[in-house]
Amino acid sequence: DGVFSIWYGKGPGVDRSGDAFKHANSAGTNKNGGVLALLGDDHTAKSSTLAHQSEFAMLDAQIPVLNPSNISDLLEYGLFGWELSRFSGLWVSMKCITSIIDSTASIEINDANFNFIKPNLTKEQLDVHIRPNDNMLEQEKRIPKLKLPLAIEFAKKNNINKVIWNKGFKNIGIVATGKAYSDTLECLAALNINEKKAKELGIHLIKVGMSWPIENDKFEKFSSGMQEILVVEEKRGFLETNIKNCLYNKHNAPKIIVGKLDEANNKLIKDDFEIKKSDLKKAIISRIQK
């Protein structure tokens, strides 16, 4: 019925393939096809000439970014990515960082998790796939007008960005993605903060599976009335910047959004190598104490 494809490359390969990414993503995928670009992001330069992250290259090519936090996510997001690619007409990328790819785990597989729901849309909205004799300016227009909104709708319908804790008064909203989400859970557990304790402290938590394009409505609702947002991610502040752009000038938006730097411009979460859980724990404590 079609072809499902994988592209794989590490950071330098991502850089060298920018031309192909942009042309292929602009042309689009087939409704029975789909392309998943696996980004071998080596955050600690364990087996690479550079420590690298690929989100910014994907943003430039307008390719959605999935960021799994463990091996179970890797399987689910991979299948989700293909479905998303077929549905939206876009290539879809997935971060495959060393610490996850080089690990092992026993996971429970539930087929029901892979029954992805397609939003019901008009024929015109779904007219996004590759076609012969296409005009490059029409391709350009199609991405922001049709394709990216479809990606957001598909993510929303399948709850790829999950609100984990959302009870109690709105003190701190933690937004975490990828390995940093798993690290955040470990740090909260080490501080004896479970869902009940989080409610008492006013701590809310959202797990971001698709870090671009972001679901503006979900983040606006999650953040509305919050005292502050803490964005936890590895390397440079990619998600943090998108969250700030999403919430700027919005009614009831949090007064403070911190991540790599705090509100006084002091270093809070490092943007090189990888996040140490001991450092992350200190950062969480400092925000709770404040």
Side-chain angles (χ1 to χ4, degrees), residues 21-252:
F21 284 151
K22 289 181 180 179
H23 279 87
N25 191 54
S26 189
T29 60
N30 187 277
K31 64 181 181 180
N32 294 325
V35 182
L36 189 64
L38 302 182
L39 312 172
D41 276 357
D42 191 354
H43 286 183
T44 60
K46 181 181 177 184
S47 58
S48 308
T49 54
L50 290 171
H52 45 75
Q53 68 177 130
S54 300
E55 292 101 313
F56 292 94
M58 295 299 103
L59 173 63
D60 196 35
Q62 300 189 84
I63 294 175
V65 180
L66 304 177
N67 199 346
S69 64
N70 53 39
I71 290 179
S72 180
D73 283 352
L74 196 73
L75 176 61
E76 180 183 346
Y77 290 8
L79 295 174
F80 172 87
W82 268 319
E83 292 283 0
L84 174 59
S85 179
R86 295 180 190 114
F87 182 72
S88 67
L90 293 164
W91 279 42
V92 174
S93 67
M94 182 166 69
K95 279 178 70 71
C96 300
I97 68 170
T98 310
S99 58
I100 293 178
I101 296 299
D102 284 359
S103 64
T104 59
S106 296
I107 61 173
E108 182 179 343
I109 297 176
N110 184 350
D111 287 348
N113 293 339
F114 309 135
N115 294 327
F116 301 110
I117 304 167
K118 293 182 180 179
N120 293 318
L121 299 169
T122 65
K123 186 177 180 181
E124 289 75 19
Q125 286 175 304
L126 296 170
D127 184 24
V128 292
H129 297 100
I130 193 167
R131 63 203 68 190
N133 307 314
D134 203 1
N135 179 281
M136 64 183 71
L137 295 180
E138 289 299 315
Q139 290 180 357
E140 180 191 38
K141 186 164 61 176
R142 208 175 292 132
I143 290 176
K145 185 180 177 181
L146 294 175
K147 293 185 177 184
L148 291 174
L150 282 185
I152 292 169
E153 280 300 311
F154 194 80
K156 187 184 299 184
K157 199 75 174 177
N158 291 284
N159 197 32
I160 198 70
N161 304 305
K162 295 179 173 63
V163 176
I164 308 299
W165 296 341
N166 198 24
K167 295 179 180 177
F169 68 101
K170 293 195 166 186
N171 188 19
I172 302 171
I174 300 177
V175 179
T177 187
K179 175 180 173 290
Y181 172 75
S182 295
D183 290 344
T184 299
L185 286 185
E186 286 190 39
C187 290
L188 291 168
L191 294 170
N192 294 317
I193 298 176
N194 54 20
E195 187 172 7
K196 182 181 177 182
K197 187 67 176 177
K199 181 180 178 182
E200 294 173 12
L201 295 170
I203 297 174
H204 299 243
L205 177 64
I206 186 169
K207 176 187 180 183
V208 181
M210 188 169 80
S211 51
W212 191 83
I214 64 172
E215 286 183 63
N216 285 8
D217 293 347
K218 178 167 282 188
F219 287 106
E220 285 177 31
K221 184 177 180 182
F222 176 79
S223 305
S224 180
M226 202 78 71
Q227 290 297 309
E228 73 169 63
I229 292 292
L230 170 63
V231 183
V232 187
E233 60 185 323
E234 294 212 311
K235 294 299 186 186
R236 289 182 289 160
F238 177 78
L239 180 59
E240 181 181 351
T241 301
N242 288 317
I243 293 291
K244 287 177 177 176
N245 289 341
C246 165
L247 298 180
Y248 185 74
N249 271 345
K250 291 297 189 295
H251 182 64
N252 282 337

